[in-house]
Amino acid sequence: EGMKKAVAHAKKTGQKVNTEEDTTNLQSNTNDNWYRRENVKIVDGDTIKILKNGTWHKVRMRAVNTAELKGPTGAGVKAQKALEDILSDVDQINVRFGPKGYWGRDTGYIFTKKNVFINKKMIELGHSPMISDFGYSYHHLEAVQSQRSLSR
């Protein structure tokens, strides 16, 4: 019920809602795009680099938009640190690739072997307060709704 309200609010206020894909049933075992942790670099709070076929590729986390590293609030550095902490004890990640992003970068949903949905985790931790690049995903709206109810 809360999800329906969040989607309705987003649409009512003119915010784009990502309804073209169902992200509620994503599973990390849906493809073979596994990368060992030593082949993953953290660029910032919403971008990683992966070593793929001998070349480093940037992957923008879908439905996540953290502050810039050089921003005035320090939120970008905090987001980067949060992503580093989440991945600190992870052996491998799985990237479920989406379409190319606005700047031509790969985009994707990222999971751990224990099926932790990294994109959603970053939103739940409060590091992605606004999503304008890709529209509001259902996971983003769900996490924002949850965060608002906890803060009351």
Side-chain angles (χ1 to χ4, degrees):
E1 181 63 30
M3 196 66 233
K4 288 180 184 176
K5 287 181 181 179
V7 170
H9 174 73
K11 288 181 178 178
K12 181 180 174 184
T13 57
Q15 300 164 356
K16 181 179 173 189
V17 178
N18 189 356
T19 57
E20 295 177 13
E21 61 185 345
D22 178 12
T23 59
T24 59
N25 295 317
L26 289 174
Q27 296 294 320
S28 65
N29 60 0
T30 56
N31 61 34
D32 294 323
N33 295 313
W34 287 99
Y35 300 91
R36 294 180 358 179
R37 181 60 181 92
E38 60 265 22
N39 294 330
V40 177
K41 294 180 182 179
I42 296 168
V43 175
D44 57 26
D46 56 25
T47 307
I48 62 172
K49 283 185 179 180
I50 55 170
L51 188 59
K52 182 177 174 182
N53 301 324
T55 305
W56 289 98
H57 297 271
K58 280 188 178 181
V59 178
R60 177 78 152 71
M61 294 169 62
R62 289 186 55 76
V64 178
N65 188 13
T66 63
E68 297 302 319
L69 285 175
K70 295 181 181 180
T73 65
V77 173
K78 290 177 185 174
Q80 181 185 41
K81 173 80 169 95
L83 186 55
E84 288 172 355
D85 290 346
I86 292 168
L87 296 179
S88 66
D89 63 347
V90 171
D91 295 335
Q92 293 183 11
I93 64 164
N94 179 270
V95 179
R96 183 164 182 193
F97 291 97
K100 294 277 187 188
Y102 180 78
W103 299 107
R105 290 182 291 188
D106 288 327
T107 65
Y109 295 110
I110 302 169
F111 296 88
T112 68
K113 276 280 195 193
K114 294 181 181 177
N115 214 24
V116 175
F117 187 7
I118 302 299
N119 305 51
K120 187 175 180 183
K121 186 74 172 169
M122 289 297 289
I123 294 167
E124 289 171 343
L125 291 172
H127 293 292
S128 183
M130 295 297 294
I131 302 293
S132 58
D133 298 16
F134 301 116
Y136 288 84
S137 75
Y138 287 115
H139 285 297
H140 175 78
L141 293 170
E142 183 180 66
V144 167
Q145 184 86 1
S146 173
Q147 196 173 40
R148 285 182 183 151
S149 66
L150 289 174
S151 64
R152 290 182 187 167

